[in-house]
Amino acid sequence: MPLIEPSGYRPPVLLRNPHLQTLIGAQLRRVPGVPFARERLELPDGDFLDLDWWRQGADRVAILCHGLEGNSRRVYMRGMARTLARRGWDVLAWNYRGCGGEPNRLLRSYHSGATEDLDAVVRRALQAGYARVALVGFSLGGNLVLKYLGERGRGVEARIAAAAAISAPCDLAASAEAMARPSRRPYMRYFLRTLARKVREKSRRFPGAIDPRALRGVRTFREFDGLYTAPVHGFASAEDYWRRASSLHVLPDLAVPSLLLNARDDPFLAGGCYPSDLARGHSFLHAEFPRHGGHVGFVSFGHGGEFWSESRVAAFLDRPGSAGRSCDLPAAPVLR
């Protein structure tokens, strides 16, 4: 039972193409009127994170985690922030190391399994006195949220009441293989262009640590993660990084009601990113795999400009008994 079948998402008739869904969700939408206020959080290792708050005086806060090479100002982050603020949540949207508009101080950066940084953000929210905390992650951020909770299991902080992961690559190896397909080359070029720019900047600040010339032949995540992500962050190889940073292996240990929302046609996902069998027998993992939706898409019209995924996540976080970690889940809304 928490495998939710069938999904309540029905895409608009002309928006069943996953690439169009992905493009609209990432580039073509506008979400005005999100009054973020920035705070810099200093970290014990000498680095920092930039946090963007939307405070309304609520006693609960939703922590939003963005995707690869994203930031707190991306449209999907602002859309979710607006939806949750309308429902009485404060929002904390944070930027990973080097993603807030200023390079981070250290050679290391962020990666899919860097739960220590998410923990620092959670602790900051708890220090602010909130009675309830929810975690919401997109793409890489979704994997990060699930890994964070799975690692802690039943020892997780009691005030973390619920979580949601949208378009999450729970199986990083399968996702990397999917992204290496020829049909995904436009996405790969987009990510590698911004990642390479950051690595070149690192090589100038830390001479000898990275050979920027090696970037010229990089065409896949396997090559990039083997060249930079793995050695800089203490992994033996790209494969070792994918294995240790994937949330898939710790999903059985989840002890917080968590919604995993991955579209079956997501061009970034494959394989273990759809853990149906695990969800069927899990008390806390609620998996919903709509046939359509693309990557961080789930476009819908109406409902105050909210996308389906935003309304869906808000309903999940607000379900009866969530403060006590009940696993009762209301029926999925059907939005057209």
Short mmCIF file of all heavy atoms in Angstrom, two decimals, residues 7-12 15-26 29 76 80 137-139 165-168 259-267 269 274 288-303 305-313 335-336:
data_model
loop_
_atom_site.label_atom_id
_atom_site.label_comp_id
_atom_site.label_asym_id
_atom_site.label_seq_id
_atom_site.Cartn_x
_atom_site.Cartn_y
_atom_site.Cartn_z
N SER A 7 -2.05 7.08 -10.67
CA SER A 7 -1.73 8.43 -10.27
C SER A 7 -2.88 9.37 -10.61
O SER A 7 -3.64 9.14 -11.57
CB SER A 7 -0.46 8.90 -10.98
OG SER A 7 -0.27 10.29 -10.79
N GLY A 8 -2.99 10.45 -9.86
CA GLY A 8 -4.03 11.43 -10.12
C GLY A 8 -3.66 12.44 -11.19
O GLY A 8 -4.50 13.29 -11.53
N TYR A 9 -2.43 12.39 -11.71
CA TYR A 9 -2.03 13.41 -12.68
C TYR A 9 -2.50 13.06 -14.09
O TYR A 9 -2.23 11.98 -14.60
CB TYR A 9 -0.52 13.58 -12.70
CG TYR A 9 -0.06 14.62 -13.70
CD1 TYR A 9 -0.56 15.92 -13.64
CD2 TYR A 9 0.84 14.31 -14.71
CE1 TYR A 9 -0.17 16.89 -14.55
CE2 TYR A 9 1.25 15.27 -15.62
CZ TYR A 9 0.74 16.55 -15.54
OH TYR A 9 1.13 17.50 -16.45
N ARG A 10 -3.20 14.03 -14.71
CA ARG A 10 -3.60 13.93 -16.10
C ARG A 10 -3.09 15.18 -16.81
O ARG A 10 -3.57 16.28 -16.54
CB ARG A 10 -5.14 13.84 -16.23
CG ARG A 10 -5.76 12.70 -15.47
CD ARG A 10 -5.40 11.34 -16.08
NE ARG A 10 -6.08 10.27 -15.37
CZ ARG A 10 -5.59 9.63 -14.32
NH1 ARG A 10 -4.40 9.98 -13.83
NH2 ARG A 10 -6.27 8.65 -13.74
N PRO A 11 -2.12 15.04 -17.69
CA PRO A 11 -1.54 16.23 -18.32
C PRO A 11 -2.52 16.89 -19.28
O PRO A 11 -3.42 16.22 -19.82
CB PRO A 11 -0.34 15.67 -19.08
CG PRO A 11 -0.73 14.28 -19.41
CD PRO A 11 -1.53 13.79 -18.22
N PRO A 12 -2.38 18.19 -19.51
CA PRO A 12 -3.16 18.81 -20.59
C PRO A 12 -2.92 18.06 -21.90
O PRO A 12 -1.84 17.52 -22.14
CB PRO A 12 -2.58 20.24 -20.64
CG PRO A 12 -2.04 20.48 -19.27
CD PRO A 12 -1.51 19.15 -18.81
N LEU A 15 0.24 18.47 -23.84
CA LEU A 15 1.49 18.47 -23.07
C LEU A 15 1.83 17.07 -22.56
O LEU A 15 2.19 16.90 -21.40
CB LEU A 15 1.38 19.45 -21.90
CG LEU A 15 1.30 20.93 -22.27
CD1 LEU A 15 1.17 21.78 -21.03
CD2 LEU A 15 2.54 21.35 -23.07
N ARG A 16 1.75 16.10 -23.44
CA ARG A 16 2.14 14.74 -23.06
C ARG A 16 3.57 14.40 -23.47
O ARG A 16 4.05 13.32 -23.16
CB ARG A 16 1.16 13.73 -23.66
CG ARG A 16 -0.25 13.89 -23.10
CD ARG A 16 -1.20 12.83 -23.58
NE ARG A 16 -2.51 12.99 -22.96
CZ ARG A 16 -3.55 12.20 -23.18
NH1 ARG A 16 -3.41 11.17 -24.03
NH2 ARG A 16 -4.69 12.41 -22.58
N ASN A 17 4.22 15.31 -24.13
CA ASN A 17 5.61 15.11 -24.50
C ASN A 17 6.50 15.42 -23.29
O ASN A 17 6.44 16.51 -22.73
CB ASN A 17 5.97 16.03 -25.67
CG ASN A 17 7.40 15.84 -26.13
OD1 ASN A 17 8.33 16.24 -25.45
ND2 ASN A 17 7.56 15.24 -27.30
N PRO A 18 7.36 14.48 -22.89
CA PRO A 18 8.15 14.70 -21.67
C PRO A 18 9.15 15.84 -21.79
O PRO A 18 9.44 16.52 -20.79
CB PRO A 18 8.87 13.36 -21.48
CG PRO A 18 8.89 12.73 -22.83
CD PRO A 18 7.61 13.15 -23.47
N HIS A 19 9.69 16.07 -22.99
CA HIS A 19 10.65 17.15 -23.16
C HIS A 19 9.98 18.51 -23.08
O HIS A 19 10.54 19.46 -22.53
CB HIS A 19 11.40 16.97 -24.48
CG HIS A 19 12.06 15.63 -24.61
ND1 HIS A 19 13.11 15.25 -23.79
CD2 HIS A 19 11.79 14.57 -25.42
CE1 HIS A 19 13.47 14.01 -24.11
NE2 HIS A 19 12.69 13.58 -25.10
N LEU A 20 8.77 18.60 -23.59
CA LEU A 20 8.01 19.84 -23.48
C LEU A 20 7.65 20.10 -22.02
O LEU A 20 7.74 21.24 -21.55
CB LEU A 20 6.75 19.76 -24.35
CG LEU A 20 5.91 21.03 -24.46
CD1 LEU A 20 6.74 22.20 -24.95
CD2 LEU A 20 4.71 20.80 -25.38
N GLN A 21 7.24 19.07 -21.31
CA GLN A 21 6.96 19.21 -19.88
C GLN A 21 8.19 19.72 -19.14
O GLN A 21 8.12 20.63 -18.31
CB GLN A 21 6.53 17.86 -19.30
CG GLN A 21 5.12 17.44 -19.63
CD GLN A 21 4.14 17.81 -18.52
OE1 GLN A 21 4.52 18.27 -17.45
NE2 GLN A 21 2.87 17.59 -18.78
N THR A 22 9.34 19.13 -19.45
CA THR A 22 10.59 19.51 -18.79
C THR A 22 10.95 20.95 -19.09
O THR A 22 11.36 21.71 -18.20
CB THR A 22 11.71 18.56 -19.23
OG1 THR A 22 11.35 17.21 -18.93
CG2 THR A 22 13.02 18.91 -18.54
N LEU A 23 10.81 21.35 -20.34
CA LEU A 23 11.16 22.71 -20.75
C LEU A 23 10.26 23.74 -20.09
O LEU A 23 10.73 24.76 -19.57
CB LEU A 23 11.06 22.83 -22.27
CG LEU A 23 11.34 24.21 -22.87
CD1 LEU A 23 12.78 24.61 -22.61
CD2 LEU A 23 11.05 24.23 -24.36
N ILE A 24 8.96 23.47 -20.07
CA ILE A 24 8.03 24.42 -19.44
C ILE A 24 8.33 24.53 -17.96
O ILE A 24 8.37 25.63 -17.39
CB ILE A 24 6.58 23.98 -19.69
CG1 ILE A 24 6.23 24.14 -21.17
CG2 ILE A 24 5.61 24.81 -18.83
CD1 ILE A 24 4.86 23.63 -21.53
N GLY A 25 8.55 23.39 -17.31
CA GLY A 25 8.80 23.40 -15.87
C GLY A 25 10.08 24.12 -15.49
O GLY A 25 10.17 24.70 -14.41
N ALA A 26 11.07 24.12 -16.40
CA ALA A 26 12.37 24.71 -16.06
C ALA A 26 12.57 26.11 -16.61
O ALA A 26 13.27 26.92 -15.99
CB ALA A 26 13.48 23.80 -16.59
N ARG A 29 8.03 29.04 -17.51
CA ARG A 29 7.06 29.48 -16.51
C ARG A 29 7.58 30.72 -15.77
O ARG A 29 8.79 30.93 -15.66
CB ARG A 29 6.84 28.34 -15.51
CG ARG A 29 5.75 28.59 -14.49
CD ARG A 29 5.75 27.45 -13.48
NE ARG A 29 4.69 27.56 -12.52
CZ ARG A 29 4.64 26.90 -11.37
NH1 ARG A 29 5.61 26.05 -11.08
NH2 ARG A 29 3.64 27.05 -10.53
N TYR A 76 10.84 26.35 -10.32
CA TYR A 76 10.18 25.27 -9.58
C TYR A 76 10.30 25.47 -8.08
O TYR A 76 9.41 25.08 -7.32
CB TYR A 76 10.74 23.91 -10.01
CG TYR A 76 12.24 23.73 -9.85
CD1 TYR A 76 12.80 23.36 -8.64
CD2 TYR A 76 13.09 23.89 -10.95
CE1 TYR A 76 14.16 23.18 -8.50
CE2 TYR A 76 14.44 23.71 -10.82
CZ TYR A 76 14.99 23.36 -9.59
OH TYR A 76 16.35 23.19 -9.46
N MET A 80 6.91 26.11 -5.72
CA MET A 80 6.61 25.34 -4.52
C MET A 80 6.55 26.24 -3.29
O MET A 80 5.69 26.07 -2.42
CB MET A 80 7.66 24.25 -4.32
CG MET A 80 7.37 23.31 -3.17
SD MET A 80 5.86 22.31 -3.40
CE MET A 80 6.43 21.15 -4.66
N GLY A 137 12.45 18.07 -1.94
CA GLY A 137 13.59 18.12 -2.83
C GLY A 137 13.22 17.86 -4.27
O GLY A 137 12.31 17.08 -4.56
N PHE A 138 13.93 18.54 -5.17
CA PHE A 138 13.72 18.39 -6.62
C PHE A 138 14.95 17.75 -7.23
O PHE A 138 16.08 18.22 -7.03
CB PHE A 138 13.48 19.75 -7.27
CG PHE A 138 12.27 20.47 -6.76
CD1 PHE A 138 12.36 21.29 -5.65
CD2 PHE A 138 11.04 20.33 -7.39
CE1 PHE A 138 11.24 21.97 -5.17
CE2 PHE A 138 9.92 21.00 -6.93
CZ PHE A 138 10.01 21.82 -5.81
N SER A 139 14.75 16.69 -8.02
CA SER A 139 15.83 16.05 -8.76
C SER A 139 16.97 15.66 -7.81
O SER A 139 16.74 14.90 -6.87
CB SER A 139 16.29 16.97 -9.89
OG SER A 139 17.09 16.30 -10.81
N ALA A 165 9.87 14.11 -2.51
CA ALA A 165 10.95 14.13 -3.48
C ALA A 165 10.32 14.09 -4.87
O ALA A 165 9.56 13.17 -5.17
CB ALA A 165 11.89 12.95 -3.28
N ILE A 166 10.63 15.07 -5.70
CA ILE A 166 10.06 15.19 -7.03
C ILE A 166 11.14 14.94 -8.07
O ILE A 166 12.20 15.58 -8.04
CB ILE A 166 9.43 16.59 -7.25
CG1 ILE A 166 8.34 16.86 -6.21
CG2 ILE A 166 8.87 16.73 -8.65
CD1 ILE A 166 8.80 17.71 -5.04
N SER A 167 10.89 14.00 -8.99
CA SER A 167 11.83 13.70 -10.07
C SER A 167 13.21 13.35 -9.51
O SER A 167 14.24 13.84 -9.98
CB SER A 167 11.93 14.87 -11.05
OG SER A 167 10.67 15.18 -11.60
N ALA A 168 13.23 12.47 -8.52
CA ALA A 168 14.46 12.16 -7.79
C ALA A 168 15.22 10.98 -8.40
O ALA A 168 14.65 9.90 -8.56
CB ALA A 168 14.12 11.84 -6.34
N LEU A 259 6.88 11.22 0.23
CA LEU A 259 6.26 11.05 -1.08
C LEU A 259 7.34 11.11 -2.15
O LEU A 259 8.07 12.09 -2.24
CB LEU A 259 5.23 12.16 -1.31
CG LEU A 259 4.57 12.19 -2.70
CD1 LEU A 259 3.73 10.95 -2.93
CD2 LEU A 259 3.72 13.45 -2.86
N LEU A 260 7.43 10.06 -2.96
CA LEU A 260 8.33 10.03 -4.11
C LEU A 260 7.48 10.17 -5.36
O LEU A 260 6.65 9.31 -5.66
CB LEU A 260 9.12 8.72 -4.14
CG LEU A 260 9.99 8.49 -5.38
CD1 LEU A 260 11.04 9.59 -5.53
CD2 LEU A 260 10.66 7.12 -5.31
N LEU A 261 7.69 11.25 -6.10
CA LEU A 261 6.86 11.59 -7.26
C LEU A 261 7.75 11.64 -8.49
O LEU A 261 8.39 12.64 -8.78
CB LEU A 261 6.19 12.94 -7.01
CG LEU A 261 5.08 13.39 -7.95
CD1 LEU A 261 3.92 12.40 -7.91
CD2 LEU A 261 4.61 14.78 -7.56
N ASN A 262 7.82 10.52 -9.23
CA ASN A 262 8.65 10.41 -10.43
C ASN A 262 7.78 10.04 -11.63
O ASN A 262 7.06 9.04 -11.57
CB ASN A 262 9.73 9.33 -10.26
CG ASN A 262 10.87 9.78 -9.37
OD1 ASN A 262 10.96 10.94 -8.98
ND2 ASN A 262 11.75 8.86 -9.04
N ALA A 263 7.86 10.82 -12.69
CA ALA A 263 7.10 10.51 -13.90
C ALA A 263 7.75 9.34 -14.65
O ALA A 263 8.97 9.25 -14.74
CB ALA A 263 7.04 11.73 -14.81
N ARG A 264 6.92 8.46 -15.18
CA ARG A 264 7.43 7.31 -15.93
C ARG A 264 8.16 7.74 -17.19
O ARG A 264 9.04 7.02 -17.69
CB ARG A 264 6.28 6.38 -16.30
CG ARG A 264 5.68 5.64 -15.10
CD ARG A 264 6.55 4.52 -14.64
NE ARG A 264 5.94 3.74 -13.57
CZ ARG A 264 6.56 2.74 -12.94
NH1 ARG A 264 7.80 2.41 -13.29
NH2 ARG A 264 5.95 2.08 -11.98
N ASP A 265 7.82 8.91 -17.76
CA ASP A 265 8.47 9.37 -18.98
C ASP A 265 9.60 10.36 -18.72
O ASP A 265 10.07 11.03 -19.64
CB ASP A 265 7.44 9.97 -19.94
CG ASP A 265 6.81 11.26 -19.41
OD1 ASP A 265 7.08 11.65 -18.25
OD2 ASP A 265 6.02 11.89 -20.15
N ASP A 266 10.07 10.45 -17.48
CA ASP A 266 11.14 11.38 -17.13
C ASP A 266 12.40 11.03 -17.92
O ASP A 266 12.93 9.93 -17.79
CB ASP A 266 11.41 11.31 -15.63
CG ASP A 266 12.33 12.41 -15.13
OD1 ASP A 266 13.31 12.74 -15.83
OD2 ASP A 266 12.08 12.94 -14.03
N PRO A 267 12.92 11.95 -18.74
CA PRO A 267 14.10 11.62 -19.54
C PRO A 267 15.38 11.48 -18.74
O PRO A 267 16.39 11.01 -19.26
CB PRO A 267 14.20 12.80 -20.51
CG PRO A 267 13.49 13.93 -19.83
CD PRO A 267 12.39 13.29 -19.04
N LEU A 269 15.55 9.74 -15.72
CA LEU A 269 15.45 8.64 -14.76
C LEU A 269 15.32 7.29 -15.44
O LEU A 269 14.89 7.19 -16.59
CB LEU A 269 14.26 8.85 -13.83
CG LEU A 269 14.17 10.18 -13.09
CD1 LEU A 269 12.96 10.19 -12.16
CD2 LEU A 269 15.46 10.48 -12.32
N TYR A 274 12.42 3.95 -9.79
CA TYR A 274 11.00 3.61 -9.65
C TYR A 274 10.87 2.37 -8.75
O TYR A 274 10.57 1.27 -9.22
CB TYR A 274 10.39 3.34 -11.02
CG TYR A 274 10.54 4.49 -11.98
CD1 TYR A 274 11.59 4.51 -12.90
CD2 TYR A 274 9.65 5.55 -11.97
CE1 TYR A 274 11.75 5.57 -13.78
CE2 TYR A 274 9.79 6.61 -12.85
CZ TYR A 274 10.84 6.62 -13.75
OH TYR A 274 10.99 7.68 -14.63
N GLU A 288 4.45 7.52 -6.11
CA GLU A 288 3.47 7.81 -7.14
C GLU A 288 4.22 8.07 -8.44
O GLU A 288 5.05 8.98 -8.51
CB GLU A 288 2.61 9.02 -6.76
CG GLU A 288 1.49 9.28 -7.75
CD GLU A 288 0.45 10.27 -7.21
OE1 GLU A 288 0.58 10.69 -6.04
OE2 GLU A 288 -0.46 10.63 -7.98
N PHE A 289 3.94 7.25 -9.46
CA PHE A 289 4.68 7.31 -10.71
C PHE A 289 3.72 7.58 -11.87
O PHE A 289 3.30 6.67 -12.57
CB PHE A 289 5.43 5.99 -10.95
CG PHE A 289 6.38 5.62 -9.83
CD1 PHE A 289 6.45 4.30 -9.39
CD2 PHE A 289 7.19 6.56 -9.23
CE1 PHE A 289 7.31 3.94 -8.36
CE2 PHE A 289 8.07 6.21 -8.21
CZ PHE A 289 8.13 4.89 -7.77
N PRO A 290 3.36 8.85 -12.08
CA PRO A 290 2.47 9.19 -13.19
C PRO A 290 3.06 8.78 -14.53
O PRO A 290 4.28 8.75 -14.71
CB PRO A 290 2.34 10.72 -13.09
CG PRO A 290 2.74 11.06 -11.69
CD PRO A 290 3.76 10.04 -11.31
N ARG A 291 2.20 8.49 -15.47
CA ARG A 291 2.66 8.10 -16.81
C ARG A 291 3.36 9.25 -17.50
O ARG A 291 4.31 9.05 -18.26
CB ARG A 291 1.45 7.64 -17.63
CG ARG A 291 1.80 7.16 -19.03
CD ARG A 291 0.56 6.68 -19.76
NE ARG A 291 0.86 6.26 -21.13
CZ ARG A 291 -0.05 5.85 -22.01
NH1 ARG A 291 -1.33 5.79 -21.64
NH2 ARG A 291 0.32 5.49 -23.22
N HIS A 292 2.91 10.47 -17.26
CA HIS A 292 3.48 11.66 -17.89
C HIS A 292 3.96 12.64 -16.82
O HIS A 292 3.65 12.50 -15.65
CB HIS A 292 2.44 12.35 -18.77
CG HIS A 292 1.87 11.46 -19.84
ND1 HIS A 292 2.56 11.13 -20.98
CD2 HIS A 292 0.66 10.84 -19.94
CE1 HIS A 292 1.81 10.34 -21.74
NE2 HIS A 292 0.65 10.16 -21.14
N GLY A 293 4.74 13.63 -17.27
CA GLY A 293 5.20 14.66 -16.36
C GLY A 293 6.59 15.18 -16.64
O GLY A 293 6.97 16.25 -16.17
N GLY A 294 7.40 14.39 -17.39
CA GLY A 294 8.75 14.84 -17.68
C GLY A 294 9.58 14.98 -16.42
O GLY A 294 9.33 14.33 -15.41
N HIS A 295 10.60 15.83 -16.48
CA HIS A 295 11.48 16.04 -15.33
C HIS A 295 11.13 17.37 -14.67
O HIS A 295 11.27 18.44 -15.28
CB HIS A 295 12.94 16.04 -15.77
CG HIS A 295 13.90 16.02 -14.63
ND1 HIS A 295 14.11 14.89 -13.87
CD2 HIS A 295 14.69 16.98 -14.10
CE1 HIS A 295 15.01 15.15 -12.93
NE2 HIS A 295 15.36 16.42 -13.04
N VAL A 296 10.65 17.29 -13.44
CA VAL A 296 10.20 18.48 -12.68
C VAL A 296 9.22 19.28 -13.53
O VAL A 296 9.29 20.50 -13.62
CB VAL A 296 11.38 19.34 -12.21
CG1 VAL A 296 10.92 20.36 -11.16
CG2 VAL A 296 12.49 18.48 -11.61
N GLY A 297 8.31 18.56 -14.18
CA GLY A 297 7.28 19.21 -14.99
C GLY A 297 5.94 19.18 -14.29
O GLY A 297 5.63 20.04 -13.47
N PHE A 298 5.10 18.18 -14.63
CA PHE A 298 3.77 18.04 -14.03
C PHE A 298 2.94 19.31 -14.21
O PHE A 298 2.33 19.83 -13.27
CB PHE A 298 3.88 17.65 -12.55
CG PHE A 298 4.69 16.42 -12.30
CD1 PHE A 298 5.97 16.49 -11.77
CD2 PHE A 298 4.17 15.17 -12.62
CE1 PHE A 298 6.73 15.35 -11.55
CE2 PHE A 298 4.91 14.01 -12.42
CZ PHE A 298 6.20 14.10 -11.88
N VAL A 299 2.95 19.79 -15.43
CA VAL A 299 2.27 21.05 -15.76
C VAL A 299 0.76 20.88 -15.64
O VAL A 299 0.20 19.86 -16.06
CB VAL A 299 2.63 21.50 -17.19
CG1 VAL A 299 1.90 22.78 -17.56
CG2 VAL A 299 4.15 21.67 -17.33
N SER A 300 0.11 21.85 -15.05
CA SER A 300 -1.35 21.93 -15.05
C SER A 300 -1.73 23.40 -15.05
O SER A 300 -0.91 24.26 -14.73
CB SER A 300 -1.95 21.22 -13.83
OG SER A 300 -1.47 21.77 -12.63
N PHE A 301 -2.97 23.68 -15.42
CA PHE A 301 -3.42 25.07 -15.51
C PHE A 301 -4.53 25.31 -14.49
O PHE A 301 -5.28 24.41 -14.11
CB PHE A 301 -3.93 25.36 -16.92
CG PHE A 301 -2.88 25.15 -17.98
CD1 PHE A 301 -3.02 24.17 -18.94
CD2 PHE A 301 -1.73 25.93 -17.98
CE1 PHE A 301 -2.04 23.97 -19.90
CE2 PHE A 301 -0.75 25.75 -18.94
CZ PHE A 301 -0.91 24.76 -19.90
N GLY A 302 -4.64 26.55 -14.08
CA GLY A 302 -5.65 26.90 -13.10
C GLY A 302 -5.11 26.75 -11.69
O GLY A 302 -3.91 26.70 -11.44
N HIS A 303 -6.01 26.72 -10.71
CA HIS A 303 -5.65 26.51 -9.30
C HIS A 303 -4.62 27.53 -8.83
O HIS A 303 -3.62 27.20 -8.22
CB HIS A 303 -5.14 25.09 -9.07
CG HIS A 303 -6.09 24.02 -9.51
ND1 HIS A 303 -7.15 23.60 -8.73
CD2 HIS A 303 -6.16 23.32 -10.66
CE1 HIS A 303 -7.82 22.66 -9.39
NE2 HIS A 303 -7.25 22.48 -10.56
N GLY A 305 -2.44 29.19 -10.50
CA GLY A 305 -1.14 29.10 -11.14
C GLY A 305 -0.27 27.98 -10.63
O GLY A 305 0.89 27.86 -11.01
N GLU A 306 -0.82 27.12 -9.76
CA GLU A 306 -0.03 26.02 -9.20
C GLU A 306 0.06 24.87 -10.19
O GLU A 306 -0.90 24.53 -10.87
CB GLU A 306 -0.66 25.53 -7.90
CG GLU A 306 -0.64 26.56 -6.79
CD GLU A 306 -1.40 26.11 -5.53
OE1 GLU A 306 -1.84 24.93 -5.50
OE2 GLU A 306 -1.55 26.92 -4.61
N PHE A 307 1.23 24.25 -10.25
CA PHE A 307 1.38 23.02 -11.00
C PHE A 307 0.88 21.85 -10.15
O PHE A 307 0.80 21.94 -8.93
CB PHE A 307 2.85 22.80 -11.37
CG PHE A 307 3.28 23.52 -12.62
CD1 PHE A 307 2.49 24.50 -13.20
CD2 PHE A 307 4.50 23.22 -13.22
CE1 PHE A 307 2.89 25.17 -14.35
CE2 PHE A 307 4.91 23.88 -14.36
CZ PHE A 307 4.12 24.85 -14.93
N TRP A 308 0.57 20.75 -10.82
CA TRP A 308 0.01 19.59 -10.11
C TRP A 308 0.93 19.09 -9.01
O TRP A 308 0.47 18.76 -7.91
CB TRP A 308 -0.27 18.46 -11.10
CG TRP A 308 -0.81 17.22 -10.44
CD1 TRP A 308 -2.10 16.97 -10.10
CD2 TRP A 308 -0.06 16.08 -10.03
NE1 TRP A 308 -2.20 15.73 -9.49
CE2 TRP A 308 -0.96 15.17 -9.45
CE3 TRP A 308 1.30 15.74 -10.11
CZ2 TRP A 308 -0.54 13.93 -8.95
CZ3 TRP A 308 1.71 14.51 -9.60
CH2 TRP A 308 0.79 13.63 -9.04
N SER A 309 2.21 19.02 -9.28
CA SER A 309 3.14 18.51 -8.28
C SER A 309 3.14 19.37 -7.02
O SER A 309 3.30 18.86 -5.90
CB SER A 309 4.55 18.43 -8.85
OG SER A 309 4.95 19.67 -9.41
N GLU A 310 2.95 20.68 -7.18
CA GLU A 310 2.94 21.57 -6.02
C GLU A 310 1.71 21.33 -5.16
O GLU A 310 1.81 21.22 -3.92
CB GLU A 310 3.01 23.02 -6.50
CG GLU A 310 4.32 23.33 -7.20
CD GLU A 310 4.29 24.52 -8.12
OE1 GLU A 310 3.22 25.18 -8.22
OE2 GLU A 310 5.33 24.81 -8.75
N SER A 311 0.55 21.22 -5.80
CA SER A 311 -0.67 20.93 -5.04
C SER A 311 -0.60 19.56 -4.40
O SER A 311 -1.07 19.35 -3.28
CB SER A 311 -1.89 21.01 -5.96
OG SER A 311 -2.00 22.30 -6.54
N ARG A 312 -0.01 18.61 -5.12
CA ARG A 312 0.10 17.24 -4.62
C ARG A 312 0.97 17.19 -3.38
O ARG A 312 0.64 16.56 -2.38
CB ARG A 312 0.68 16.33 -5.70
CG ARG A 312 0.69 14.86 -5.30
CD ARG A 312 -0.71 14.30 -5.40
NE ARG A 312 -0.76 12.92 -4.95
CZ ARG A 312 -1.28 12.54 -3.79
NH1 ARG A 312 -1.76 13.44 -2.95
NH2 ARG A 312 -1.33 11.27 -3.47
N VAL A 313 2.12 17.83 -3.45
CA VAL A 313 3.03 17.85 -2.30
C VAL A 313 2.40 18.57 -1.13
O VAL A 313 2.48 18.11 0.02
CB VAL A 313 4.37 18.51 -2.69
CG1 VAL A 313 5.21 18.82 -1.46
CG2 VAL A 313 5.15 17.59 -3.64
N LEU A 335 -5.96 16.68 -11.56
CA LEU A 335 -5.95 18.02 -12.10
C LEU A 335 -5.70 17.93 -13.60
O LEU A 335 -4.84 17.19 -14.05
CB LEU A 335 -4.84 18.87 -11.45
CG LEU A 335 -4.93 19.01 -9.93
CD1 LEU A 335 -3.81 19.89 -9.45
CD2 LEU A 335 -6.27 19.57 -9.51
N ARG A 336 -6.44 18.70 -14.36
CA ARG A 336 -6.29 18.69 -15.81
C ARG A 336 -5.84 20.06 -16.30
O ARG A 336 -6.10 21.04 -15.66
CB ARG A 336 -7.61 18.29 -16.49
CG ARG A 336 -8.06 16.89 -16.08
CD ARG A 336 -9.34 16.52 -16.81
NE ARG A 336 -9.83 15.23 -16.36
CZ ARG A 336 -9.43 14.06 -16.87
NH1 ARG A 336 -8.52 14.05 -17.80
NH2 ARG A 336 -9.92 12.93 -16.42
#
